[in-house]
mmCIF file of all heavy atoms in Angstrom:
data_model
loop_
_atom_site.group_PDB
_atom_site.id
_atom_site.type_symbol
_atom_site.label_atom_id
_atom_site.label_comp_id
_atom_site.label_asym_id
_atom_site.label_seq_id
_atom_site.Cartn_x
_atom_site.Cartn_y
_atom_site.Cartn_z
ATOM 1 N N ILE A 1377 107.865 -63.826 73.946
ATOM 2 C CA ILE A 1377 109.221 -64.283 73.638
ATOM 3 C C ILE A 1377 110.129 -64.166 74.865
ATOM 4 O O ILE A 1377 111.005 -65.004 75.091
ATOM 5 C CB ILE A 1377 109.808 -63.469 72.470
ATOM 6 C CG1 ILE A 1377 109.076 -63.801 71.162
ATOM 7 C CG2 ILE A 1377 111.297 -63.739 72.310
ATOM 8 C CD1 ILE A 1377 109.212 -65.232 70.724
ATOM 9 N N SER A 1378 109.911 -63.140 75.680
ATOM 10 C CA SER A 1378 110.751 -62.954 76.865
ATOM 11 C C SER A 1378 110.675 -64.133 77.823
ATOM 12 O O SER A 1378 111.625 -64.406 78.561
ATOM 13 C CB SER A 1378 110.350 -61.668 77.605
ATOM 14 O OG SER A 1378 110.575 -60.534 76.814
ATOM 15 N N ASP A 1379 109.542 -64.839 77.831
ATOM 16 C CA ASP A 1379 109.361 -65.965 78.746
ATOM 17 C C ASP A 1379 110.073 -67.227 78.269
ATOM 18 O O ASP A 1379 110.283 -68.159 79.056
ATOM 19 C CB ASP A 1379 107.872 -66.266 78.934
ATOM 20 C CG ASP A 1379 107.150 -65.165 79.682
ATOM 21 O OD1 ASP A 1379 107.815 -64.416 80.421
ATOM 22 O OD2 ASP A 1379 105.913 -65.045 79.524
ATOM 23 N N ILE A 1380 110.395 -67.294 76.981
ATOM 24 C CA ILE A 1380 111.042 -68.491 76.422
ATOM 25 C C ILE A 1380 112.264 -68.091 75.609
ATOM 26 O O ILE A 1380 112.623 -68.733 74.632
ATOM 27 C CB ILE A 1380 110.053 -69.297 75.542
ATOM 28 C CG1 ILE A 1380 109.375 -68.397 74.505
ATOM 29 C CG2 ILE A 1380 109.019 -70.011 76.400
ATOM 30 C CD1 ILE A 1380 108.529 -69.158 73.507
ATOM 31 N N ASP A 1381 112.920 -67.005 76.030
ATOM 32 C CA ASP A 1381 114.019 -66.451 75.231
ATOM 33 C C ASP A 1381 115.172 -67.435 75.075
ATOM 34 O O ASP A 1381 115.814 -67.496 74.026
ATOM 35 C CB ASP A 1381 114.515 -65.149 75.849
ATOM 36 C CG ASP A 1381 115.091 -65.331 77.247
ATOM 37 O OD1 ASP A 1381 114.398 -65.922 78.101
ATOM 38 O OD2 ASP A 1381 116.229 -64.896 77.484
ATOM 39 N N TYR A 1382 115.436 -68.228 76.117
ATOM 40 C CA TYR A 1382 116.542 -69.192 76.037
ATOM 41 C C TYR A 1382 116.272 -70.229 74.952
ATOM 42 O O TYR A 1382 117.146 -70.564 74.147
ATOM 43 C CB TYR A 1382 116.732 -69.875 77.390
ATOM 44 C CG TYR A 1382 117.680 -71.049 77.352
ATOM 45 C CD1 TYR A 1382 119.050 -70.843 77.284
ATOM 46 C CD2 TYR A 1382 117.195 -72.357 77.366
ATOM 47 C CE1 TYR A 1382 119.928 -71.921 77.228
ATOM 48 C CE2 TYR A 1382 118.064 -73.431 77.310
ATOM 49 C CZ TYR A 1382 119.425 -73.209 77.246
ATOM 50 O OH TYR A 1382 120.288 -74.272 77.179
ATOM 51 N N ILE A 1383 115.029 -70.722 74.906
ATOM 52 C CA ILE A 1383 114.667 -71.741 73.915
ATOM 53 C C ILE A 1383 114.685 -71.159 72.510
ATOM 54 O O ILE A 1383 115.242 -71.733 71.578
ATOM 55 C CB ILE A 1383 113.276 -72.317 74.244
ATOM 56 C CG1 ILE A 1383 113.307 -73.023 75.597
ATOM 57 C CG2 ILE A 1383 112.808 -73.274 73.159
ATOM 58 C CD1 ILE A 1383 111.936 -73.442 76.106
ATOM 59 N N VAL A 1384 114.089 -69.975 72.357
ATOM 60 C CA VAL A 1384 113.985 -69.355 71.040
ATOM 61 C C VAL A 1384 115.356 -68.992 70.484
ATOM 62 O O VAL A 1384 115.632 -69.190 69.299
ATOM 63 C CB VAL A 1384 113.085 -68.105 71.122
ATOM 64 C CG1 VAL A 1384 113.177 -67.286 69.847
ATOM 65 C CG2 VAL A 1384 111.642 -68.506 71.385
ATOM 66 N N SER A 1385 116.234 -68.469 71.330
ATOM 67 C CA SER A 1385 117.525 -68.000 70.818
ATOM 68 C C SER A 1385 118.411 -69.135 70.329
ATOM 69 O O SER A 1385 119.372 -68.902 69.596
ATOM 70 C CB SER A 1385 118.259 -67.191 71.890
ATOM 71 O OG SER A 1385 118.651 -68.006 72.978
ATOM 72 N N LYS A 1386 118.087 -70.370 70.702
ATOM 73 C CA LYS A 1386 118.837 -71.508 70.163
ATOM 74 C C LYS A 1386 118.706 -71.599 68.647
ATOM 75 O O LYS A 1386 119.568 -72.168 67.972
ATOM 76 C CB LYS A 1386 118.344 -72.818 70.795
ATOM 77 C CG LYS A 1386 118.764 -73.033 72.231
ATOM 78 C CD LYS A 1386 118.252 -74.380 72.728
ATOM 79 C CE LYS A 1386 118.713 -74.684 74.134
ATOM 80 N NZ LYS A 1386 118.221 -76.002 74.613
ATOM 81 N N GLN A 1387 117.616 -71.044 68.114
ATOM 82 C CA GLN A 1387 117.384 -71.108 66.671
ATOM 83 C C GLN A 1387 118.091 -69.982 65.911
ATOM 84 O O GLN A 1387 118.090 -69.962 64.686
ATOM 85 C CB GLN A 1387 115.881 -71.051 66.378
ATOM 86 C CG GLN A 1387 115.090 -72.199 66.974
ATOM 87 C CD GLN A 1387 113.640 -72.185 66.511
ATOM 88 O OE1 GLN A 1387 113.343 -71.776 65.396
ATOM 89 N NE2 GLN A 1387 112.738 -72.634 67.374
ATOM 90 N N LEU A 1388 118.671 -69.034 66.636
ATOM 91 C CA LEU A 1388 119.259 -67.864 65.993
ATOM 92 C C LEU A 1388 120.735 -68.068 65.685
ATOM 93 O O LEU A 1388 121.461 -68.687 66.458
ATOM 94 C CB LEU A 1388 119.096 -66.636 66.888
ATOM 95 C CG LEU A 1388 117.674 -66.218 67.260
ATOM 96 C CD1 LEU A 1388 117.706 -64.994 68.153
ATOM 97 C CD2 LEU A 1388 116.855 -65.950 66.011
ATOM 98 N N LYS A 1389 121.158 -67.476 64.574
ATOM 99 C CA LYS A 1389 122.568 -67.449 64.194
ATOM 100 C C LYS A 1389 123.148 -66.044 64.305
ATOM 101 O O LYS A 1389 124.354 -65.850 64.143
ATOM 102 C CB LYS A 1389 122.734 -67.957 62.755
ATOM 103 C CG LYS A 1389 122.258 -69.391 62.547
ATOM 104 C CD LYS A 1389 123.030 -70.378 63.412
ATOM 105 C CE LYS A 1389 122.565 -71.809 63.160
ATOM 106 N NZ LYS A 1389 123.238 -72.772 64.086
ATOM 107 N N GLU A 1390 122.293 -65.073 64.562
ATOM 108 C CA GLU A 1390 122.715 -63.680 64.666
ATOM 109 C C GLU A 1390 121.826 -62.966 65.672
ATOM 110 O O GLU A 1390 120.734 -63.445 66.002
ATOM 111 C CB GLU A 1390 122.606 -62.985 63.304
ATOM 112 C CG GLU A 1390 121.176 -62.965 62.778
ATOM 113 C CD GLU A 1390 121.054 -62.362 61.401
ATOM 114 O OE1 GLU A 1390 122.020 -61.739 60.936
ATOM 115 O OE2 GLU A 1390 119.970 -62.505 60.787
ATOM 116 N N ALA A 1391 122.277 -61.826 66.169
ATOM 117 C CA ALA A 1391 121.468 -61.023 67.078
ATOM 118 C C ALA A 1391 120.316 -60.378 66.311
ATOM 119 O O ALA A 1391 120.479 -59.975 65.154
ATOM 120 C CB ALA A 1391 122.323 -59.950 67.730
ATOM 121 N N VAL A 1392 119.157 -60.293 66.949
ATOM 122 C CA VAL A 1392 118.004 -59.653 66.333
ATOM 123 C C VAL A 1392 117.381 -58.663 67.311
ATOM 124 O O VAL A 1392 117.376 -58.887 68.530
ATOM 125 C CB VAL A 1392 116.932 -60.673 65.873
ATOM 126 C CG1 VAL A 1392 117.474 -61.569 64.783
ATOM 127 C CG2 VAL A 1392 116.410 -61.491 67.041
ATOM 128 N N ILE A 1393 116.874 -57.564 66.761
ATOM 129 C CA ILE A 1393 116.101 -56.596 67.529
ATOM 130 C C ILE A 1393 114.652 -56.741 67.091
ATOM 131 O O ILE A 1393 114.317 -56.478 65.923
ATOM 132 C CB ILE A 1393 116.598 -55.160 67.291
ATOM 133 C CG1 ILE A 1393 118.035 -55.001 67.824
ATOM 134 C CG2 ILE A 1393 115.676 -54.159 67.983
ATOM 135 C CD1 ILE A 1393 118.653 -53.654 67.494
ATOM 136 N N ILE A 1394 113.802 -57.191 67.989
ATOM 137 C CA ILE A 1394 112.399 -57.452 67.676
ATOM 138 C C ILE A 1394 111.584 -56.219 68.035
ATOM 139 O O ILE A 1394 111.643 -55.729 69.171
ATOM 140 C CB ILE A 1394 111.889 -58.676 68.451
ATOM 141 C CG1 ILE A 1394 112.756 -59.900 68.134
ATOM 142 C CG2 ILE A 1394 110.436 -58.959 68.110
ATOM 143 C CD1 ILE A 1394 112.449 -61.104 68.998
ATOM 144 N N VAL A 1395 110.816 -55.708 67.060
ATOM 145 C CA VAL A 1395 110.027 -54.494 67.265
ATOM 146 C C VAL A 1395 108.549 -54.789 67.007
ATOM 147 O O VAL A 1395 108.188 -55.909 66.658
ATOM 148 C CB VAL A 1395 110.522 -53.350 66.350
ATOM 149 C CG1 VAL A 1395 111.963 -52.987 66.680
ATOM 150 C CG2 VAL A 1395 110.397 -53.738 64.875
ATOM 151 N N ASP A 1396 107.707 -53.767 67.182
ATOM 152 C CA ASP A 1396 106.258 -53.917 67.021
ATOM 153 C C ASP A 1396 105.727 -55.041 67.917
ATOM 154 O O ASP A 1396 105.061 -55.976 67.471
ATOM 155 C CB ASP A 1396 105.882 -54.184 65.566
ATOM 156 C CG ASP A 1396 106.037 -52.949 64.699
ATOM 157 O OD1 ASP A 1396 106.198 -51.859 65.270
ATOM 158 O OD2 ASP A 1396 106.002 -53.067 63.462
ATOM 159 N N TYR A 1397 106.027 -54.924 69.181
ATOM 160 C CA TYR A 1397 105.624 -55.929 70.161
ATOM 161 C C TYR A 1397 104.112 -55.904 70.386
ATOM 162 O O TYR A 1397 103.513 -54.826 70.474
ATOM 163 C CB TYR A 1397 106.335 -55.628 71.487
ATOM 164 C CG TYR A 1397 107.158 -56.765 72.004
ATOM 165 C CD1 TYR A 1397 108.332 -57.141 71.368
ATOM 166 C CD2 TYR A 1397 106.757 -57.485 73.119
ATOM 167 C CE1 TYR A 1397 109.090 -58.186 71.844
ATOM 168 C CE2 TYR A 1397 107.506 -58.536 73.601
ATOM 169 C CZ TYR A 1397 108.670 -58.886 72.961
ATOM 170 O OH TYR A 1397 109.411 -59.931 73.428
ATOM 171 N N PRO A 1398 103.486 -57.069 70.512
ATOM 172 C CA PRO A 1398 102.061 -57.081 70.891
ATOM 173 C C PRO A 1398 101.868 -56.388 72.240
ATOM 174 O O PRO A 1398 102.622 -56.626 73.187
ATOM 175 C CB PRO A 1398 101.743 -58.577 70.992
ATOM 176 C CG PRO A 1398 102.755 -59.246 70.117
ATOM 177 C CD PRO A 1398 104.000 -58.420 70.251
ATOM 178 N N THR A 1399 100.869 -55.533 72.307
ATOM 179 C CA THR A 1399 100.627 -54.778 73.538
ATOM 180 C C THR A 1399 100.419 -55.703 74.737
ATOM 181 O O THR A 1399 100.822 -55.385 75.853
ATOM 182 C CB THR A 1399 99.413 -53.859 73.350
ATOM 183 O OG1 THR A 1399 99.711 -52.903 72.328
ATOM 184 C CG2 THR A 1399 99.065 -53.125 74.632
ATOM 185 N N LYS A 1400 99.808 -56.867 74.512
ATOM 186 C CA LYS A 1400 99.540 -57.774 75.637
ATOM 187 C C LYS A 1400 100.825 -58.309 76.258
ATOM 188 O O LYS A 1400 100.817 -58.786 77.390
ATOM 189 C CB LYS A 1400 98.665 -58.937 75.177
ATOM 190 C CG LYS A 1400 99.267 -59.825 74.114
ATOM 191 C CD LYS A 1400 98.293 -60.907 73.694
ATOM 192 C CE LYS A 1400 98.866 -61.793 72.582
ATOM 193 N NZ LYS A 1400 97.909 -62.849 72.166
ATOM 194 N N PHE A 1401 101.952 -58.235 75.534
ATOM 195 C CA PHE A 1401 103.226 -58.694 76.067
ATOM 196 C C PHE A 1401 104.139 -57.532 76.470
ATOM 197 O O PHE A 1401 105.146 -57.742 77.148
ATOM 198 C CB PHE A 1401 103.966 -59.560 75.046
ATOM 199 C CG PHE A 1401 103.252 -60.833 74.696
ATOM 200 C CD1 PHE A 1401 103.249 -61.310 73.392
ATOM 201 C CD2 PHE A 1401 102.584 -61.569 75.665
ATOM 202 C CE1 PHE A 1401 102.604 -62.491 73.060
ATOM 203 C CE2 PHE A 1401 101.934 -62.749 75.345
ATOM 204 C CZ PHE A 1401 101.936 -63.212 74.032
ATOM 205 N N ALA A 1402 103.829 -56.331 76.018
ATOM 206 C CA ALA A 1402 104.703 -55.180 76.267
ATOM 207 C C ALA A 1402 104.493 -54.646 77.683
ATOM 208 O O ALA A 1402 103.449 -54.848 78.300
ATOM 209 C CB ALA A 1402 104.428 -54.081 75.248
ATOM 210 N N THR A 1403 105.488 -53.942 78.184
ATOM 211 C CA THR A 1403 105.366 -53.320 79.502
ATOM 212 C C THR A 1403 104.231 -52.301 79.498
ATOM 213 O O THR A 1403 103.948 -51.662 78.476
ATOM 214 C CB THR A 1403 106.683 -52.628 79.899
ATOM 215 O OG1 THR A 1403 106.475 -51.907 81.122
ATOM 216 C CG2 THR A 1403 107.148 -51.644 78.841
ATOM 217 N N TRP A 1404 103.591 -52.128 80.644
ATOM 218 C CA TRP A 1404 102.430 -51.233 80.739
ATOM 219 C C TRP A 1404 102.817 -49.772 80.586
ATOM 220 O O TRP A 1404 101.949 -48.920 80.391
ATOM 221 C CB TRP A 1404 101.678 -51.458 82.039
ATOM 222 C CG TRP A 1404 102.425 -51.116 83.290
ATOM 223 C CD1 TRP A 1404 103.321 -51.882 83.944
ATOM 224 C CD2 TRP A 1404 102.315 -49.908 84.052
ATOM 225 N NE1 TRP A 1404 103.797 -51.240 85.059
ATOM 226 C CE2 TRP A 1404 103.194 -50.027 85.146
ATOM 227 C CE3 TRP A 1404 101.569 -48.747 83.903
ATOM 228 C CZ2 TRP A 1404 103.350 -49.018 86.095
ATOM 229 C CZ3 TRP A 1404 101.717 -47.734 84.855
ATOM 230 C CH2 TRP A 1404 102.589 -47.878 85.932
ATOM 231 N N THR A 1405 104.099 -49.456 80.635
ATOM 232 C CA THR A 1405 104.532 -48.068 80.430
ATOM 233 C C THR A 1405 104.762 -47.744 78.956
ATOM 234 O O THR A 1405 105.098 -46.607 78.624
ATOM 235 C CB THR A 1405 105.839 -47.777 81.199
ATOM 236 O OG1 THR A 1405 106.885 -48.621 80.697
ATOM 237 C CG2 THR A 1405 105.659 -48.009 82.687
ATOM 238 N N SER A 1406 104.600 -48.716 78.066
ATOM 239 C CA SER A 1406 104.912 -48.489 76.651
ATOM 240 C C SER A 1406 103.778 -47.762 75.930
ATOM 241 O O SER A 1406 102.609 -47.882 76.289
ATOM 242 C CB SER A 1406 105.215 -49.810 75.950
ATOM 243 O OG SER A 1406 104.094 -50.664 75.987
ATOM 244 N N LYS A 1407 104.162 -47.026 74.899
ATOM 245 C CA LYS A 1407 103.204 -46.290 74.087
ATOM 246 C C LYS A 1407 102.584 -47.223 73.058
ATOM 247 O O LYS A 1407 103.281 -47.976 72.383
ATOM 248 C CB LYS A 1407 103.920 -45.134 73.383
ATOM 249 C CG LYS A 1407 103.003 -44.158 72.668
ATOM 250 C CD LYS A 1407 103.821 -42.982 72.136
ATOM 251 C CE LYS A 1407 102.937 -41.952 71.473
ATOM 252 N NZ LYS A 1407 103.737 -40.789 70.991
ATOM 253 N N LYS A 1408 101.261 -47.156 72.908
ATOM 254 C CA LYS A 1408 100.559 -48.051 71.997
ATOM 255 C C LYS A 1408 100.581 -47.528 70.568
ATOM 256 O O LYS A 1408 100.563 -46.321 70.326
ATOM 257 C CB LYS A 1408 99.106 -48.234 72.447
ATOM 258 C CG LYS A 1408 98.945 -48.982 73.758
ATOM 259 C CD LYS A 1408 97.478 -49.158 74.096
ATOM 260 C CE LYS A 1408 97.290 -49.899 75.411
ATOM 261 N NZ LYS A 1408 95.856 -50.058 75.752
#
């Protein structure tokens, strides 16, 4: 989502906090 955040956020009407990120997209310092 971070790579296409501008495109995706066009569909939003409110702020969202996205959790449970796929490990393949999460930073390498994150806890699995």
